[in-house]
Amino acid sequence: MIRREYMSDKSMEYVLNQGEAPISHAMKEYAGDGALAFHTPGHKQGLGAHRLLKELITEAGLRQEVSLMEELDDLHEPEGCIKAAEALAAELWGAEDTLFIINGTTGAIHAMLMGTLSPGDEVLIPRNVHRSIMGGVILAGAVPVYVQPEVDARLGIAMGLSLSAVQEAIAAHPAARALVAVYPTYYGYGCDLRAIAEAVHRAGMLLLVDEAHGAHLRFSDELPSQAIQLGADVAAQSTHKLLGSMTQTSMLHVGSHRVDRSRLRQAAGLLQSTSPNQLLLASLDIARLQMAEEGRERMAEAVRLSRFLRDEVNKINGLYSPGLESCRAGADSGAVCLDYTKVTVNLDGIDVDGPQAELILRHQYKVQCELSDARNLLFIISMADNEAVVTRLLAALKDLAASHLPGENKDNIHECRAAMGDMPAPRQRLSPREAFFAAFRAVPLQEAIGAASAETVAFYPPGVPLLCPGEEITAEIVSYIRRYQALGMRLSGPADGRLETIRVIK
């Protein structure tokens, strides 16, 4: 039981204990109190729930699926169990403050940008950012200045920003308010974030980090350090991606006094529901509890399994799984460290591309990867995995490779040379916000060359924008889109999902 002391101003002070889950505790207390429910939600603690919903959520869970009661606290002005849960998370992750987010890391990133930027502010952004960052730029009214990440030619994937590229961008745009960094990348590579933080702070700028794929880093000395430890002012983490919370739950960690915490909370309040789902909040609290109790042991096993998997993949004829050899030190390097739990499998040595291999594994072997691109598959080894599932994955990869060895008439399936980072950013003719609100018309894609895009175009995953609102559409981009579509990559962003037409600024 968590001890609570009510103060004269009706707020609560919690004696923090990493062995407790205050939100879950408060929910159980309310559900067990026996009060008649003349309040939302409409299923009335499960009494009116359909049988399928009861199969989806346990009866105990439905009884606790309420919100806004006094003892359940207020996400936007937390004073009770949510405040305690956020404080416990901040303590565990080493942050100065932590905000719980229930509309995904997209919501966390939007709050991070809206809470730190103002209309007209320049912000330095790597080109390989997730589309959610562009959404945050539009909401904040900021002006993006793109910085090209390093690209690994062998793998055909974008890495992180190099220190030299950041220093050049700072020199060219000294009035910029902040730098947004992606750390680690979707494929697990990390830039020299500590050196970048020092350079950014010397210039009087903020370091804002999309750390969607780094919530687990805190719990292993064998993995790269997390962003807050390396100097990030704010970092958005997807607790659900690699830890044990429910999908759509994330945390926003504050690492310094350079940011206004009240403004961050105000931004989060604007962007999140006023009726937050208590089950989502409880899952964040419980995920924190789980990592406090057994996080280091579970991550040690995940690292061991991922290293074993990488070593075994490299014994398979035609496959290659990169390790630390893809990283290098120096100011011009965008990859100085690797999260081992992200296992990339390069397919250049066999006669199948990434999307085809993903479908074969999914339907023939009942194995689903995290993502595929033209030349690679990505597998995530989390704290939930064990030796049996890794062994099954290895058997599937061995069979896949043996069944698709290169033939004499092999097509050039690797014509599409890699990720979005290998193409210079298009010319920006309007700011993303101006373009978002501008009048537009839909034209055939081929006829749009030379026009400014009115929408975002990305292939998902990984969700990296190929075109952002306000950018000029070029013949090279049109050709790139068609090649990737031919490979079966899924478009995200445009109103016309097949991109036979695209919206352009009138």
Side-chain angles (χ1 to χ4, degrees):
M1 177 77 175
I2 300 173
R3 300 200 312 276
R4 297 176 294 182
E5 298 174 2
Y6 287 84
M7 309 300 289
S8 58
D9 63 355
K10 303 299 183 183
S11 65
M12 298 180 192
E13 277 196 357
Y14 278 84
V15 179
L16 298 182
N17 179 353
Q18 288 292 345
E20 299 285 353
I23 295 177
S24 178
H25 175 79
M27 291 166 63
K28 287 182 178 180
E29 274 198 336
Y30 181 81
D33 191 48
L36 288 176
F38 295 100
H39 54 70
T40 60
H43 64 68
K44 294 293 183 77
Q45 295 179 280
L47 294 175
H50 190 278
R51 62 176 178 81
L52 291 177
L53 185 60
K54 290 181 179 179
E55 291 175 9
L56 189 65
I57 304 174
T58 67
E59 288 188 21
L62 284 168
R63 284 196 297 273
Q64 297 177 50
E65 205 275 291
V66 295
S67 62
L68 307 180
M69 308 308 144
E70 180 183 6
E71 56 264 64
L72 299 184
D73 208 0
D74 181 349
L75 176 62
H76 304 296
E77 295 181 13
E79 294 184 334
C81 62
I82 295 175
K83 182 177 181 179
E86 290 182 335
L88 284 165
E91 180 181 77
L92 188 63
W93 270 271
E96 294 194 2
D97 196 9
T98 292
L99 286 70
F100 280 7
I101 306 293
I102 48 86
N103 60 328
T105 307
T106 292
I109 286 171
H110 288 175
M112 177 173 71
L113 296 182
M114 279 195 70
T116 57
L117 303 177
S118 298
D121 280 349
E122 285 188 326
V123 56
L124 308 179
I125 295 179
R127 189 60 191 182
N128 61 325
V129 294
H130 188 268
R131 58 181 298 209
S132 61
I133 290 178
M134 297 314 303
V137 167
I138 290 171
L139 289 169
V143 178
V145 175
Y146 296 111
V147 187
Q148 286 299 116
E150 183 188 11
V151 174
D152 186 297
R154 178 176 182 181
L155 299 174
I157 61 176
M159 302 298 206
L161 292 176
S162 67
L163 175 61
S164 58
V166 170
Q167 290 171 329
E168 289 175 10
I170 290 172
H173 299 271
R177 172 65 176 150
L179 166 74
V180 176
V182 179
Y183 174 93
T185 68
Y186 211 152
Y187 294 87
Y189 289 97
C191 58
D192 190 349
L193 196 65
R194 188 183 298 279
I196 288 173
E198 292 171 356
V200 166
H201 291 153
R202 280 196 302 270
M205 301 177 186
L206 297 174
L207 177 59
L208 311 176
V209 181
D210 173 0
E211 198 177 18
H213 293 273
H216 61 304
L217 299 179
R218 176 74 166 171
F219 305 98
S220 174
D221 295 333
E222 299 178 83
L223 299 178
S225 298
Q226 67 171 4
I228 289 292
Q229 292 172 279
L230 299 175
D233 295 295
V234 189
Q237 291 183 347
S238 289
T239 318
H240 71 92
K241 280 188 169 68
L242 295 158
L243 301 183
S245 66
M246 293 172 68
T247 297
Q248 200 176 308
T249 58
S250 299
M251 295 186 192
L252 189 61
H253 298 300
V254 181
S256 79
H257 290 285
R258 298 183 186 90
V259 296
D260 184 341
R261 300 184 201 181
S262 64
R263 188 178 169 201
L264 274 176
R265 283 201 176 270
Q266 186 179 34
L270 287 172
L271 297 164
Q272 298 200 93
S273 172
T274 54
S275 301
N277 187 300
Q278 206 74 18
L279 298 180
L280 297 181
L281 290 171
S283 78
L284 278 170
D285 195 20
I286 293 167
R288 185 272 315 155
L289 173 63
Q290 182 180 36
M291 297 313 287
E293 290 180 336
E294 54 189 19
R296 288 202 162 266
E297 293 79 5
R298 282 180 173 261
M299 287 313 304
E301 178 65 2
V303 171
R304 184 189 73 80
L305 288 171
S306 60
R307 282 179 160 162
F308 168 76
L309 175 60
R310 183 174 280 102
D311 290 344
E312 292 300 308
V313 167
N314 284 326
K315 297 175 184 177
I316 301 173
N317 186 26
L319 300 184
Y320 165 59
S321 183
L324 284 176
E325 72 278 3
S326 297
C327 302
R328 56 189 176 83
D332 62 342
S333 174
V336 301
C337 55
L338 173 64
D339 171 8
Y340 297 110
T341 67
K342 296 296 190 69
V343 181
T344 300
V345 177
N346 181 264
L347 307 172
D348 282 358
I350 62 176
D351 194 7
V352 66
D353 59 44
Q356 291 173 331
E358 178 179 359
L359 290 174
I360 292 169
L361 288 174
R362 170 67 181 85
H363 296 290
Q364 185 173 335
Y365 299 95
K366 304 302 180 185
V367 169
Q368 179 61 58
C369 63
E370 169 66 15
L371 70 79
S372 64
D373 62 39
R375 299 164 59 187
N376 306 286
L377 299 172
L378 177 64
F379 301 91
I380 294 175
I381 304 300
S382 83
M383 54 93 181
D385 288 309
N386 56 42
E387 198 148 347
V389 299
V390 170
T391 300
R392 181 176 164 188
L393 170 58
L394 270 172
L397 289 173
K398 288 176 181 177
D399 204 20
L400 174 74
S403 303
H404 295 85
L405 292 176
E408 293 181 3
N409 299 316
K410 179 184 176 184
D411 293 330
N412 184 17
I413 61 172
H414 305 305
E415 179 185 355
C416 297
R417 301 297 294 179
M420 312 306 175
D422 64 348
M423 185 182 297
R427 184 165 71 95
Q428 186 176 318
R429 291 173 32 181
L430 293 86
S431 75
R433 186 176 179 87
E434 290 171 331
F436 182 83
F437 289 107
F440 63 85
R441 60 192 178 94
V443 300
L445 181 61
Q446 196 65 37
E447 296 177 17
I449 295 171
S453 176
E455 53 190 349
T456 299
V457 176
F459 286 98
Y460 196 92
V464 175
L466 182 60
L467 272 173
C468 295
E471 292 182 339
E472 186 172 314
I473 301 167
T474 65
E476 184 181 18
I477 288 172
V478 171
S479 176
Y480 189 97
I481 289 171
R482 292 308 188 209
R483 293 202 310 270
Y484 262 74
Q485 283 183 306
L487 284 172
M489 301 289 282
R490 181 167 63 87
L491 276 166
S492 176
D496 178 357
R498 293 178 296 179
L499 213 59
E500 293 177 357
T501 62
I502 186 170
R503 292 179 174 181
V504 300
I505 305 298
K506 283 186 177 179

